[in-house]
Structures are given as C-alpha cells and as structure tokens.
Amino acid sequence: CNHAIFVLQWQITFNTPPTMSKETYMIECITRDMISWLMNDYHYSMDKAMDSVYTSKTYGSLINVNTGLYFQSSQYVFEDLQKELSLQ
C-alpha cells in the first residue's frame, strides 16, 4: 500500500472489499506492512509483531481517522513505530 498516489487511488477504487470503508482498508494495509516488516527485518515472531503493532501508540494514532495518519505511506508510519519501539 505504499506505492505512488495514483496506484493507491487505483487500489482504493478497485480493490477495496465492498464491506470495508476506504479508511479501514488503508489502515489494514499499513498494519499488514508493519507486521510484515517487523517479522522480516527484525525477525519478530508473528505473535510478537502483531502484539507490538496493535499495542503501540503509533497504531492508536493510525486507527484514529481524525489524525489522518492512515493517509500516509506505510513506510512513514513504520518509521514512527520503529522510533516508538526503539528500533532505530
């Protein structure tokens, strides 16, 4: 989900599941990416990666649509998570 804006717009327009809002879809994509990067780059287990993301302040900000964080790239949000988890 961290592609160029026009690709993101295409994905939102054509790939969003019909029962999911565009905001929720974007949040899920970012969340998926962050969990995947923790597992691949930091060798976290799936449980540890999921727990680290879902209990973070970064995730709390991400799911609060009023912050607009969900509209940033996955990499941008992950950088915040890395700082929060002291991985940088």
Side-chain angles (χ1 to χ4, degrees), residues 22-86:
K22 292 174 181 168
E23 293 84 4
T24 300
Y25 178 72
M26 293 169 73
I27 290 166
E28 291 298 322
C29 288
I30 293 169
T31 302
R32 177 204 61 212
D33 290 345
M34 292 193 301
I35 290 169
S36 177
W37 290 331
L38 285 174
M39 292 172 59
N40 291 327
D41 298 348
Y42 296 98
H43 308 290
Y44 278 30
S45 68
M46 183 181 291
D47 287 341
K48 182 177 179 181
M50 292 176 72
D51 186 59
S52 295
V53 170
Y54 288 122
T55 60
S56 69
K57 290 180 183 178
T58 301
Y59 182 75
S61 295
L62 178 62
I63 63 173
N64 178 353
V65 295
N66 294 323
T67 67
L69 189 58
Y70 71 92
F71 202 65
Q72 300 299 320
S73 70
S74 295
Q75 186 63 43
Y76 179 88
V77 180
F78 187 60
E79 287 174 8
D80 282 352
L81 182 65
Q82 287 174 302
K83 290 174 190 168
E84 181 180 343
L85 300 177
S86 300

